[in-house]
């Protein structure tokens, strides 16, 4: 996150978290002076919702959301904080990456699993 704007929030892992995270992401980008068009707002809303809902579904005790912005792009990273997931293992039937990449305005996304749980991210054109 060097030389770029960044913010993060930590939440309990609960069904209400995706909505709260969506609002915080959009509010923070506005506070940084980014003027978001309708495609960027829809992409950020939908991508944040999918990433956070997936992390909540992992069943950890908390979820953290990290936001950075640079060069007309925003990166949303979500951590599930569930250490019981085996490295490199995504839960069965998980097609979150296909759903995120299908969103207009999303330039890339990914996922990985490590000792702190699953990390999911999306890069959105602002």
């Amino acid at each position: 996150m060097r030389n770029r704007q960044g913010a993060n929030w930590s939440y309990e892992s609960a069904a209400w978290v995706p909505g709260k995270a969506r609002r915080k992401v959009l509010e923070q980008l506005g506070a940084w002076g980014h003027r978001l068009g309708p495609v960027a707002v829809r992409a950020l809303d939908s991508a944040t919702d999918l990433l956070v809902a997936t992390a909540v579904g992992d069943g950890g005790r908390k979820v953290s959301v990290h936001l950075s912005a640079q060069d007309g792009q925003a990166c949303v990273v979500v951590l599930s904080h569930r250490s019981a997931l085996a490295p490199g293992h995504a839960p069965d039937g998980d097609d979150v990456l296909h759903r995120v990449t299908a969103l207009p305005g999303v330039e890339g996304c990914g996922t990985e699993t490590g000792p702190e749980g699953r990390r999911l991210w999306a890069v959105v054109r602002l």
Side-chain angles (χ1 to χ4, degrees):
M1 299 248 321
R2 192 176 196 168
N3 298 323
R4 67 186 74 136
Q5 297 166 312
N8 62 334
W9 305 272
S10 184
Y11 302 103
E12 66 179 292
S13 185
W16 57 266
V17 174
K20 178 74 169 180
R22 283 193 316 264
R23 287 188 297 279
K24 289 300 237 178
V25 164
L26 292 176
E27 287 171 5
Q28 187 62 59
L29 288 167
W32 288 336
H34 295 283
R35 295 182 183 191
L36 305 175
V39 172
V41 169
R42 281 191 302 275
L44 286 161
D45 272 351
S46 298
T48 301
D49 187 63
L50 286 168
L51 299 177
V52 175
T54 300
V56 168
D58 283 349
R61 290 194 339 220
K62 72 176 189 167
V63 170
S64 60
V65 179
H66 306 262
L67 173 67
S68 62
Q70 181 180 12
D71 298 331
Q73 296 179 317
C75 181
V76 179
V77 179
V78 180
L79 298 167
S80 68
H81 298 282
R82 180 177 177 208
S83 59
L85 291 172
H89 177 269
D92 292 337
D94 187 358
D95 66 344
V96 69
L97 295 182
H98 295 290
R99 292 183 289 159
V100 172
T101 56
L103 298 169
V106 171
E107 296 188 338
C109 67
T111 184
E112 65 185 14
T113 306
E116 74 280 356
R118 183 158 44 163
R119 180 179 307 136
L120 306 114
W121 69 90
V123 176
V124 176
R125 181 177 51 258
L126 299 176

